[in-house]
Amino acid sequence: EIPPSLVVTAVDDANTQSESVDGQSPIEPIRVTIIGTEFYFEPDVLEFTVGIPVELVFENRGTTEHDLVIKDMPIAESAESEIRLYAWFGESATRTFTPTTAGEYEIICSIVGHKEAGMTGRVVVRD
C-alpha cells in the first residue's frame, strides 16, 4: 500500500539563512531525507525554495536496487538539470544542490519497471 503524500518544506528562517555582515557567509543546506522501498518514495512530494541549498539524502530501505532521479530541475552547481542518486538495498546516497528555477519537477526511480510500478513523486520549487 502506498502511504499518503507527505511534504517536506524548506523553511525560510534565520537559522538557515543567516549571513555575516559582509554577506559572504554561505547559506547552510537544508537536509532532506527521502526513503525508497518497493515501489514508492516517502515522502513523495518535496518542496524547496529557489536559492536555498538542499542536502538530499536517499535511503534505500527496499530489497533491491533503487535510484532517485529528479528530471529537468536547473541547479546552480551544474549545467546538468538532473539529480541522480543511486543506492543498493540497505545503502544511501547524498547530493547537495541549489535549485535555481521555480516549478514542478518529476521524481522517478529509473530502474526498469520501477516507475511503472508507481515509484514516482514530485518536487515543487518556490520563489
Side-chain angles (χ1 to χ4, degrees), residues 5 7 21 48 55-56 59 66 72 77 88 92 106-107 121:
S5 294
V7 176
V21 174
F48 304 138
E55 178 183 23
L56 184 61
E59 291 183 10
H66 291 295
D72 303 321
E77 295 76 15
W88 192 245
S92 64
E106 181 181 30
I107 299 173

Side-chain angles (χ1 to χ4, degrees), residues 20-46:
S20 66
V21 174
D22 63 7
Q24 298 301 312
S25 295
I27 298 171
E28 288 295 315
I30 294 165
R31 186 179 175 105
V32 175
T33 300
I34 186 168
I35 309 298
T37 62
E38 284 79 45
F39 287 97
Y40 61 89
F41 292 110
E42 184 182 327
D44 63 357
V45 177
L46 303 176

Side-chain angles (χ1 to χ4, degrees), residues 17-105:
Q17 295 193 54
S18 58
E19 293 188 12
S20 66
V21 174
D22 63 7
Q24 298 301 312
S25 295
I27 298 171
E28 288 295 315
I30 294 165
R31 186 179 175 105
V32 175
T33 300
I34 186 168
I35 309 298
T37 62
E38 284 79 45
F39 287 97
Y40 61 89
F41 292 110
E42 184 182 327
D44 63 357
V45 177
L46 303 176
E47 188 173 308
F48 304 138
T49 302
V50 168
I52 303 297
V54 175
E55 178 183 23
L56 184 61
V57 179
F58 172 57
E59 291 183 10
N60 182 351
R61 294 190 189 165
T63 59
T64 188
E65 66 180 329
H66 291 295
D67 67 5
L68 177 149
V69 179
I70 303 172
K71 298 181 142 283
D72 303 321
M73 184 178 71
I75 59 173
E77 295 76 15
S78 174
E80 298 174 27
S81 61
E82 180 174 281
I83 303 293
R84 180 180 299 272
L85 296 170
Y86 173 87
W88 192 245
F89 62 91
E91 296 181 353
S92 64
T94 303
R95 179 157 179 197
T96 301
F97 57 90
T98 306
T100 60
T101 306
E104 289 197 21
Y105 306 96

